[in-house]
């Protein structure tokens, strides 16, 4: 059973959680404690126990306190982007709740999953940067032109979106430079993400998917707005994929 004083004591401890002293923030102590607490309690107590409701209330109360602690520490620590602390720890909690199959935590499980996915997306699309930024900016303008009722074949007649401007931008992104930028990003991911949760491959694959989606879209716009121009990128999609594949899998434990 979970007497109120014990539950209160646990909530207080969780509220006092501090970031790790290691270079990576990783999975917080309060998350580990909650994980062990739930697993140990489920092993010791029957789910048909008459006073089961009190146990489940304790689970919810403690988990809500853990959520607050994660958000606070993500803001306080300065070792890694706050999104990393958030997506790693919410991923861990989401996996715990999925494994334990506790109905009382279903709403918080959905919230943890949502926070994991949104912060992973924010980290990948905003914090890691874009290895073909000027190309992306150019085609964002092309897309804007198309939304203003301009016909595709007319886009290239604008000064800012002429064929010569596009060629000049593309020349700034030879394969070797794009490879270097991507490798720097992969180094950054490895520096930020903890081995314990094993999300390096998930993050890098998400980043790759984001780049490939952009390249596919831009190639379609090239065909649509600059037909018969012979303009192509100085890298191929499979060459970009190979950069990620050749990096290998630095962390053996992988979760998704």
């Amino acid at each position: 059973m979970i007497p109120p004083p014990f539950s209160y004591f646990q909530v207080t401890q969780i509220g006092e959680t501090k970031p790790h002293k290691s270079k990576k923030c990783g999975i917080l102590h309060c998350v580990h404690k909650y994980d062990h607490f739930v697993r140990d309690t489920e092993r010791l107590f029957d789910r048909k126990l008459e006073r089961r409701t009190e146990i489940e209330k304790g689970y919810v109360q403690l988990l809500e306190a853990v959520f607050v602690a994660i958000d606070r520490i993500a803001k306080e620590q300065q070792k890694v982007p706050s999104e990393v602390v958030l997506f790693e720890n919410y991923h861990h909690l989401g996996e715990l709740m999925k494994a334990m199959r506790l109905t009382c935590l279903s709403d918080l499980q959905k919230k943890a999953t949502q926070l994991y996915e949104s912060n992973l997306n924010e980290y990948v699309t905003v914090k890691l940067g874009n290895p073909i930024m000027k190309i992306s900016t150019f085609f964002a303008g092309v897309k804007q032109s198309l939304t203003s009722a301009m016909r595709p074949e007319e886009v290239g007649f604008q000064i800012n979106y002429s064929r010569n401007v596009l060629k000049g931008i593309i020349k700034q992104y030879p394969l070797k430079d794009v490879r270097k930028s991507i490798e720097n990003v992969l180094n950054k991911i490895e520096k930020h993400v903890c081995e314990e949760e094993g999300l390096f491959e998930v993050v890098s694959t998400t980043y790759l998917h984001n780049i490939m989606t952009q390249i596919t879209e831009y190639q379609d716009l090239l065909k649509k707005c600059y037909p018969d121009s012979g303009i192509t990128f100085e890298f191929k999609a499979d060459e970009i994929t190979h950069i990620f594949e050749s990096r290998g899998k630095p962390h053996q434990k992988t979760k998704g």
Side-chain angles (χ1 to χ4, degrees), residues 83 87 118-130 185 189 202-211:
E83 290 84 1
F87 76 68
S118 62
N119 282 285
L120 173 60
N121 182 66
E122 179 75 8
Y123 176 66
V124 166
T125 58
V126 178
K127 295 302 175 69
L128 291 179
N130 187 338
V185 167
I189 295 171
V202 172
V203 178
S204 60
T205 300
T206 303
Y207 187 74
L208 169 61
H209 176 74
N210 184 54
I211 295 173

Side-chain angles (χ1 to χ4, degrees), residues 214-225:
Q214 290 184 63
I215 292 173
T216 299
E217 180 184 20
Y218 302 156
Q219 287 175 331
D220 289 341
L221 287 170
L222 266 174
K223 294 176 183 177
K224 187 176 182 179
C225 301

Side-chain angles (χ1 to χ4, degrees), residues 47-71:
R47 292 201 179 194
K48 296 180 180 180
L49 195 66
E50 188 175 331
R51 299 184 67 184
R52 175 75 188 179
T53 302
E54 291 184 37
I55 293 178
E56 293 185 346
K57 284 182 179 178
Y59 287 160
V60 173
Q61 182 184 16
L62 292 175
L63 186 54
E64 288 175 341
V66 172
F67 275 39
V68 172
I70 292 172
D71 292 348

Side-chain angles (χ1 to χ4, degrees), residues 3-255:
F6 177 68
S7 186
Y8 174 78
F9 175 69
Q10 289 281 72
V11 170
T12 302
Q13 277 194 323
I14 289 170
E16 296 172 350
T17 299
K18 303 295 182 183
H20 290 297
K21 293 182 179 180
S22 60
K23 292 182 180 179
K24 301 176 183 181
C25 205
I27 305 305
L28 304 177
H29 292 306
C30 64
V31 173
H32 277 306
K33 286 182 179 179
Y34 184 79
D35 186 321
H36 294 156
F37 174 72
V38 172
R39 294 182 189 276
D40 290 344
T41 303
E42 287 301 294
R43 187 168 55 250
L44 292 172
F45 296 101
D46 191 333
R47 292 201 179 194
K48 296 180 180 180
L49 195 66
E50 188 175 331
R51 299 184 67 184
R52 175 75 188 179
T53 302
E54 291 184 37
I55 293 178
E56 293 185 346
K57 284 182 179 178
Y59 287 160
V60 173
Q61 182 184 16
L62 292 175
L63 186 54
E64 288 175 341
V66 172
F67 275 39
V68 172
I70 292 172
D71 292 348
R72 173 179 58 79
I73 293 173
K75 295 175 183 176
E76 290 178 353
Q77 62 80 41
Q78 299 180 346
K79 300 172 184 177
V80 298
S82 60
E83 290 84 1
V84 175
V85 178
L86 295 168
F87 76 68
E88 285 189 323
N89 283 276
Y90 282 122
H91 176 269
H92 189 97
L93 289 173
E95 291 296 298
L96 167 66
M97 288 182 273
K98 187 189 301 182
M100 300 310 296
R101 298 180 180 179
L102 295 166
T103 305
C104 63
L105 298 178
S106 60
D107 288 343
L108 289 174
Q109 180 181 343
K110 291 176 184 176
K111 183 177 180 181
T113 300
Q114 181 183 26
L115 288 167
Y116 157 65
E117 292 175 349
S118 62
N119 282 285
L120 173 60
N121 182 66
E122 179 75 8
Y123 176 66
V124 166
T125 58
V126 178
K127 295 302 175 69
L128 291 179
N130 187 338
I132 52 172
M133 178 57 77
K134 291 182 181 179
I135 293 177
S136 296
T137 301
F138 180 89
F139 281 105
V142 169
K143 289 168 64 178
Q144 184 62 39
S145 296
L146 292 175
T147 60
S148 63
M150 181 176 290
R151 290 185 299 179
E153 60 272 19
E154 296 176 338
V155 172
F157 291 106
Q158 299 179 91
I159 295 176
N160 292 335
Y161 304 109
S162 68
R163 293 186 179 191
N164 286 335
V165 170
L166 176 55
K167 288 178 181 178
I169 292 174
I170 286 177
K171 283 185 179 179
Q172 296 179 46
Y173 293 93
L175 176 61
K176 65 175 184 177
D177 289 351
V178 175
R179 177 186 287 112
K180 184 177 180 180
S181 295
I182 291 175
E183 288 176 345
N184 287 338
V185 167
L186 292 174
N187 289 336
K188 187 183 295 185
I189 295 171
E190 192 165 8
K191 180 180 178 181
H192 291 163
V193 177
C194 71
E195 293 84 352
E196 178 184 5
E197 197 63 13
L199 290 177
F200 174 88
E201 190 176 354
V202 172
V203 178
S204 60
T205 300
T206 303
Y207 187 74
L208 169 61
H209 176 74
N210 184 54
I211 295 173
M212 297 304 291
T213 299
Q214 290 184 63
I215 292 173
T216 299
E217 180 184 20
Y218 302 156
Q219 287 175 331
D220 289 341
L221 287 170
L222 266 174
K223 294 176 183 177
K224 187 176 182 179
C225 301
Y226 303 90
D228 305 317
S229 65
I231 300 175
T232 59
F233 297 131
E234 298 196 0
F235 52 82
K236 294 182 174 63
D238 60 345
E239 291 173 327
I240 300 299
T241 301
H242 181 69
I243 296 171
F244 286 82
E245 292 175 344
S246 62
R247 179 59 178 257
K249 302 176 183 179
H251 307 318
Q252 295 301 312
K253 179 184 175 185
T254 304
K255 295 182 179 180

